[in-house]
Amino acid sequence: MSTLGNFIWSIADQLRGPYRPNQYGNVILPFTILRRLDCILEPDRATVRELAAKYENPNRLKVEVKKVTDRSFYNTSNYSFSNLLEDADGLADNLVDYIDRFSADVDVFEYFDFKKEILALEKAELLREIVTSFGAIDLHPDVVSNSDMGDAFEYIIRKFNEAANETSGDHYTPRDAIRLLVDLLFAEKDVDLTEGGIIRSLYDPTAGTGGMLSLAEEHLLAQNPEAKLSLYGQEYNPQSYAICKSDLLAKGHDATNIAFGNTLTDDAFKGRHFDYCMSNPPYGVAWKQYAKAITKERDSAGPYGRFAPGLPATSDGQMLFLLHLAHKMRPVEDGGGRVGIVMNGSPLFTGAAESGPSNIRRWLLENDLIEAIVALPTNMFFNTGIPTYIWILDNAKHPDRKGKVQLIDGTPFWTRMRPNLGSKNRAISDDDRANIMHLYANFEDADPKLSKVLRNDEFGYWNVTIERPLLDEEGKPVLDRKGKPKPDSKKRDTENVPFTYGGSTAGSAGEHEVIQTYFDTEVRPHVPDAWIDWAKTKIGYEIPFTRHFYKYLPPRPLTEIDADLEKQVAKIIDLLREVEQ
């Protein structure tokens, strides 16, 4: 829990009455951002005002300010938290003037409709009190680190969403989960990342408040302080976008690299590719309202478009982000790219053969893009206890990993949290993370109970239609015009035949041979009159993660069960006797 977040949120107590709890964030979040930027700008404020008087052209002014302050943003107002309260009658107007005089790249306050809130606070006679409270907090990066500031923002958002009785999943990914994702994302490239003067790019299409981007940068700089990581992101939630952009501004990044909008319908970085991509897209969120635009793009973009491999059900858009990121990886000829994405279990298996989800898995596996999938402990996230998984994609795999997928069961590696945070009562500690990374690094030699390496073709299967004859009243097959038995649709069945049935591997035996062997061995002995309708054979792919790590638990002994039942019966009889008395 963030001490700073607690302190900032305590200011919300001053809003009680005119504001409902679910409205506190509309005031607290933009004021926190404003005060953070105000503290950063304060040391050079006089210098910037002098430059503003000298250079009227904003583009020239930006260049000159950058030379002097090494910052890309500035504010030319005569007001700041240091003097706003000196003109009590003009406080609202002066605060608006302060906001209006930020450089053009600081558009974050528009997304909070902050001017409207200023007027509302003035009308409620709360503006002076709020400005006074925030003016008393020093939020300069030398006092409050970027990491602590990020924790504070996320704490405020979570509290705001709890008050509004909303999910926080769209905004907040636990930092312990992000750290594991970052470690896995950078794992294969750690040697490269220690080279002097390297420049790499990182992209998050569901950037939220920027937590993933920030932690990835911390990871890289911890290994190589001279490295430069260019951060890119897109976010469709106005408040999250504003926080993310202001956070990167405060760290000296190019704020134009953070775009507002829906990644699925309007890719702000179309044609761009990145060294690293990461995302935690919302789970189970419908994209039906965007289906027309996405389908149109898929049809017009052709076989190399981002959604060409297939479209998932409109009830869940996770796999759209998975496809989007796969197409954002830097091409192999330019060094390749890696992707880390957190999703729930449905993308592993949902969808029958040749459905959209199955075709997406087929495309990923046949192009050898999936490197590893890690199951996370349950109760890791604040708004859901469902199983979650980290997928790692790589289009330039290490030679040892080519043609293979590593499945890692990370569910045993967790540490209990006290107190709980919503649904989150488990965390991945440094030791837990190290254990998972050890399994990943060991690859083939990993513990088979916790890590398995499978060939890509082991996830594929043929969905085969088995027919049986339609019988007449005498029990004889009904024949068609060609003299062949007519199929009975009521007896029709399907079988999933693994590509690797009978020990075959990709290319070692033909489709017909493997399916026929399966049919002769598994089907014909039980239904001798059955046959295969070859025209209906479909190809499917699924990743049955749970099946690979299934642990058999023997049933309890009958004597133990009987003893428990007797105890319960005795309790019921005692309760009935009490009622009778």
Side-chain angles (χ1 to χ4, degrees):
M1 183 178 294
S2 166
T3 303
L4 175 62
N6 264 328
F7 179 71
I8 294 174
W9 189 258
S10 71
I11 298 173
D13 289 337
Q14 301 168 26
L15 301 174
R16 292 182 185 276
Y19 283 80
R20 295 189 298 274
N22 66 332
Q23 297 174 314
Y24 292 170
N26 299 337
V27 174
I28 300 301
L29 288 169
F31 260 108
T32 303
I33 291 172
L34 181 61
R35 181 55 177 154
R36 175 72 161 181
L37 297 180
D38 180 81
C39 291
I40 292 170
L41 292 171
E42 186 60 34
D44 305 302
R45 203 176 296 279
T47 303
V48 171
R49 286 170 182 160
E50 291 175 7
L51 291 172
K54 187 176 181 181
Y55 302 103
E56 293 184 5
N57 185 301
N59 293 327
R60 177 64 186 279
L61 178 58
K62 184 174 182 177
V63 171
E64 297 299 328
V65 170
K66 177 74 172 176
K67 287 180 184 177
V68 176
T69 67
D70 199 31
R71 281 193 303 271
S72 60
F73 71 101
Y74 57 86
N75 187 295
T76 60
S77 173
N78 288 321
Y79 298 101
S80 68
F81 273 84
S82 64
N83 64 358
L84 273 170
L85 295 171
E86 293 176 5
D87 181 6
D89 295 334
L91 178 58
D93 290 338
N94 297 341
L95 186 54
V96 168
D97 177 84
Y98 185 22
I99 294 167
D100 282 341
R101 294 186 183 276
F102 272 101
S103 49
D105 48 0
V106 185
D107 61 349
V108 297
F109 299 106
E110 299 171 18
Y111 290 88
F112 287 106
D113 204 1
F114 192 34
K115 293 179 183 178
K116 177 184 174 182
E117 294 300 335
I118 291 171
L119 295 177
L121 287 168
E122 175 77 355
K123 186 176 181 179
E125 299 182 351
L126 290 171
L127 184 60
R128 183 178 183 84
E129 197 171 350
I130 297 300
V131 171
T132 300
S133 295
F134 274 97
I137 309 171
D138 187 351
L139 297 183
H140 192 278
D142 291 344
V143 178
V144 179
S145 70
N146 290 323
S147 178
D148 288 343
M149 198 71 239
D151 285 343
F153 277 133
E154 289 169 350
Y155 173 80
I156 295 166
I157 288 175
R158 186 169 57 80
K159 294 286 286 186
F160 173 47
N161 286 331
E162 286 173 0
N165 195 28
E166 295 177 0
T167 174
S168 59
D170 284 354
H171 308 287
Y172 193 85
T173 310
R175 298 212 157 200
D176 52 335
I178 297 175
R179 287 189 176 94
L180 175 59
L181 174 59
V182 169
D183 282 359
L184 289 165
L185 186 65
F186 287 153
E188 282 293 307
K189 306 289 186 182
D190 270 358
V191 175
D192 298 338
L193 297 178
T194 58
E195 296 176 2
I198 66 161
I199 300 175
R200 295 290 184 269
S201 58
L202 174 69
Y203 166 67
D204 183 349
T206 55
T209 59
M212 282 191 168
L213 296 172
S214 296
L215 281 178
E217 183 181 36
E218 287 178 19
H219 177 101
L220 178 58
L221 293 178
Q223 296 181 78
N224 185 354
E226 297 179 6
K228 181 177 180 183
L229 189 63
S230 298
L231 304 180
Y232 297 81
Q234 187 164 352
E235 173 58 35
Y236 79 109
N237 178 278
Q239 290 187 344
S240 296
Y241 161 78
I243 292 171
C244 180
K245 188 168 184 176
S246 60
D247 184 42
L248 264 63
L249 272 169
K251 295 173 184 175
H253 286 282
D254 184 350
T256 60
N257 291 350
I258 304 299
F260 178 75
N262 187 332
T263 303
L264 298 180
T265 57
D266 182 21
D267 178 10
F269 303 97
K270 192 173 183 178
R272 293 290 299 271
H273 298 93
F274 305 93
D275 297 295
Y276 303 99
C277 304
M278 59 197 308
S279 173
N280 178 24
Y283 306 152
V285 174
W287 56 279
K288 187 175 182 179
Q289 65 271 42
Y290 314 124
K292 186 175 181 181
I294 289 172
T295 303
K296 181 180 179 182
E297 178 186 334
R298 190 268 315 268
D299 294 341
S300 62
Y304 300 106
R306 56 179 177 161
F307 302 131
L311 297 177
T314 55
S315 59
D316 188 355
Q318 290 177 86
M319 296 188 86
L320 292 176
F321 287 100
L322 179 63
L323 280 176
H324 172 73
L325 290 180
H327 281 79
K328 283 295 183 184
M329 289 190 284
R330 190 175 297 286
V332 177
E333 58 269 24
D334 295 332
R338 283 171 68 82
V339 165
I341 182 170
V342 185
M343 298 186 289
N344 66 19
S346 64
L348 294 168
F349 55 81
T350 189
E354 297 190 7
S355 66
S358 179
N359 285 341
I360 292 170
R361 289 189 291 270
R362 177 180 181 178
W363 180 79
L364 290 168
L365 286 161
E366 291 186 353
N367 284 281
D368 198 20
L369 297 179
I370 303 177
E371 181 187 89
I373 300 176
V374 180
L376 297 177
T378 54
N379 298 335
M380 275 288 299
F381 288 75
F382 298 96
N383 61 323
T384 178
I386 63 174
T388 51
Y389 301 80
I390 292 177
W391 291 48
I392 300 296
L393 309 185
D394 194 328
N395 61 2
K397 289 183 180 179
H398 188 278
D400 293 343
R401 291 182 178 266
K402 287 188 179 298
K404 300 174 183 177
V405 175
Q406 183 181 14
L407 304 180
I408 297 175
D409 181 10
T411 57
F413 301 108
W414 54 271
T415 302
R416 184 166 297 282
M417 291 182 60
R418 289 186 175 84
N420 297 351
L421 293 176
S423 299
K424 182 176 175 63
N425 59 18
R426 295 177 176 181
I428 298 176
S429 67
D430 290 346
D431 288 341
D432 296 326
R433 192 167 73 252
N435 285 327
I436 295 173
M437 293 306 299
H438 180 71
L439 290 169
Y440 170 84
N442 278 356
F443 193 46
E444 296 277 15
D445 298 327
D447 183 341
K449 293 180 180 179
L450 297 170
S451 172
K452 295 188 178 180
V453 177
L454 304 170
R455 299 190 314 273
N456 292 340
D457 64 329
E458 292 184 76
F459 300 105
Y461 64 90
W462 293 285
N463 180 258
V464 180
T465 299
I466 308 296
E467 300 284 13
R468 294 182 65 190
L470 179 66
L471 304 178
D472 60 19
E473 293 179 355
E474 297 179 1
K476 296 179 179 179
V478 178
L479 305 179
D480 60 17
R481 293 178 181 178
K482 297 181 179 180
K484 293 182 179 181
K486 286 186 176 181
D488 186 341
S489 60
K490 294 180 180 178
K491 296 179 181 178
R492 182 174 295 144
D493 198 4
T494 59
E495 295 279 338
N496 287 343
V497 182
F499 286 177
T500 54
Y501 178 76
S504 61
T505 59
S508 67
E511 169 186 345
H512 190 285
E513 181 183 341
V514 177
I515 294 175
Q516 189 64 54
T517 301
Y518 178 93
F519 177 78
D520 293 340
T521 306
E522 308 290 345
V523 180
R524 194 188 296 277
H526 306 287
V527 278
D529 59 353
W531 71 90
I532 299 170
D533 185 344
W534 293 96
K536 294 179 180 177
T537 300
K538 298 178 180 179
I539 291 178
Y541 278 82
E542 67 175 0
I543 303 173
F545 197 102
T546 305
R547 188 193 310 163
H548 286 292
F549 294 100
Y550 173 73
K551 299 177 181 68
Y552 173 73
L553 295 176
R556 296 166 63 199
L558 286 175
T559 53
E560 186 179 318
I561 295 174
D562 286 341
D564 283 348
L565 285 173
E566 288 178 5
K567 289 180 181 178
Q568 295 304 319
V569 169
K571 286 183 180 179
I572 293 171
I573 291 173
D574 289 341
L575 290 171
L576 288 173
R577 285 172 179 165
E578 289 180 12
V579 172
E580 289 174 355
Q581 294 174 359

